[in-house]
Structure formats: structure tokens, C-alpha cells
Amino acid sequence: GQQLNQSPQSMFIQEGEDVSMNCTSSSIFNTWLWYKQDPGEGPVLLIALYKAGELTSNGRLTAQFGITRKDSFLNISASIPSDVGIYFCSSGGSNYKLTFGKGTLLTVNP
Amino acid sequence: DAGVIQSPRHEVTEMGQEVTLRCKPISGHNSLFWYRQTMMRGLELLIYFNNNVPIDDSGMPEDRFSAKMPNASFSTLKIQPSEPRDSAVYFCASSLNRRDQPQHFGDGTRLSIL
């Protein structure tokens, strides 16, 4: 089946630092979505991307849909303690099914 | 607005017992998805419904798993008989059946089979 390669697997950063994570695939997708999951909760949508080359921001978060449609990145600027969690990339084709990356565990030291 | 509602939040039961997980999608959403999350395999899609009809159940592990959606506001995922390897967090998600409408997740059911 289709797979997403998400990296890094984990990150340990100091509060105030910027963060960057990405996902790549061997397949072309029509949609890239970034979710965040806090302990004991379900994934919550952060940013949705629907067009190759699209760059979208949501507060301190910025994500881009790669021009080749095979990759996406998520940046977090000026990290704060509540940014801690697992970040998932996901991508979808024409059938509305989503494939998820394995996640990036972010730890922010105050 | 109410999000996706799942019940129970936690379930602990002995192997061999029947387990039923429940989901109420967001009102108006016509697609519903069941996922399983484990440390080893991450988030896996088990089955999804569109307009109450199962579209793709290729992710259902085996015949012990079954899912139904009797109406637009309710779905169940049943495991019978349950086994310890079924222990995981099970998520339900819903969306509008359009490319520009993302999936919204419930808070999951943490299932432990002893």
C-alpha cells in the first residue's frame, strides 16, 4: 500500500526555537493534511493543503504542499510548551482515503 | 458544535469477549472512518462508509472484526471474539465527502484485552 515517510521521528527543542518536519512519498497525492495529537485525545487538524505549491499559515504554523505533489513540510516558529505532542502528516488521493505518516514526537523544554 | 463522539472512552475486557465500540459522527457529515492506532503500526484505516454504505473494508484485520452504520448518525465497530493483540486505541472520524473537506477525529476508545 501507499506509505508516507515522516521525519524526524522525534525532536527535543528549547522553547522559542523553530521546528521543521516533513513527509515524503513515492506516490502523487491530491491532498496533504497535518494533524496534532495530544495524549489521550484524537488527532486535531492543523492545516489542510489542496493544491501543489500551496503555502498556508495558521498562526505560528506554516505548511507547504510540494510542487511535485509527493511531499509536504510543516514549520512551527517560536515554539512554546503547549506545542508538545505528536504531529502527523497525512495525504489523500481521489477516493478520500487518508494515509498517515508514523508521526513526529515533539518535546519542548521550557 | 459537537465533534465526533465515541464511546466508551476506555474498555478493559477478557479475551474471548465481544467488544462493541460506538461512534456518532458530526451532524451533516456523510463519510465515516474507523482507524486503529498502535505504537508499532501507527494509524491504520480499518473501514470507511459513504452515505452509510461500506466502501472499503480492506483494512479490517480479519473476520472477527465487523462494522455497521445503520443510519447517518451512528456506527459500531465490533470485535468477536476479542484477542489480546486487538488492544489498541480505536478512532472514529467523519467528513463531508468532498476533497476539500478534511476528516475530524473523535477522542478514541482505548481498548485493552486481557
Side-chain angles (χ1 to χ4, degrees), chain A residues 30-31 33 35 37 40-43 45 48 50-51 88 93 95-98 100-102, chain B residues 9 33 35 37 40-41 43 45 48 56 58 91 97-103 105-107:
Chain A
N30 298 327
T31 305
L33 306 172
Y35 287 86
Q37 186 176 21
E41 298 183 10
L45 182 68
Y50 299 105
K51 189 177 177 182
F88 292 97
N95 59 3
Y96 313 114
K97 287 174 62 174
L98 291 181
F100 282 82
K102 291 283 195 262
Chain B
R9 288 298 311 275
F33 306 80
Y35 290 88
Q37 185 178 41
M40 292 297 294
R41 300 173 70 91
L43 264 169
L45 177 66
Y48 84 93
D56 185 344
S58 59
F91 287 103
N97 190 25
R98 281 170 38 187
R99 188 178 82 87
D100 61 345
Q101 296 297 317
Q103 294 177 27
F105 284 76
D107 282 337

Side-chain angles (χ1 to χ4, degrees), chain B residues 5 11 13 15 20 22 27 33 42 45 54 58-59 70 81 83-84 86 93 98 100-101 105 109:
Chain B
I5 299 173
E11 173 105 10
T13 192
M15 66 178 293
T20 299
R22 297 173 176 81
S27 178
F33 306 80
L45 177 66
S58 59
E83 297 182 3
D86 301 331
R98 281 170 38 187
D100 61 345
Q101 296 297 317
F105 284 76
T109 295

Side-chain angles (χ1 to χ4, degrees), chain A residues 34-38 41-46 61 81-88:
Chain A
W34 286 91
Y35 287 86
K36 182 193 177 197
Q37 186 176 21
D38 291 326
E41 298 183 10
V44 174
L45 182 68
L46 298 175
L61 277 60
S82 62
D83 290 334
V84 165
I86 304 176
Y87 292 79
F88 292 97

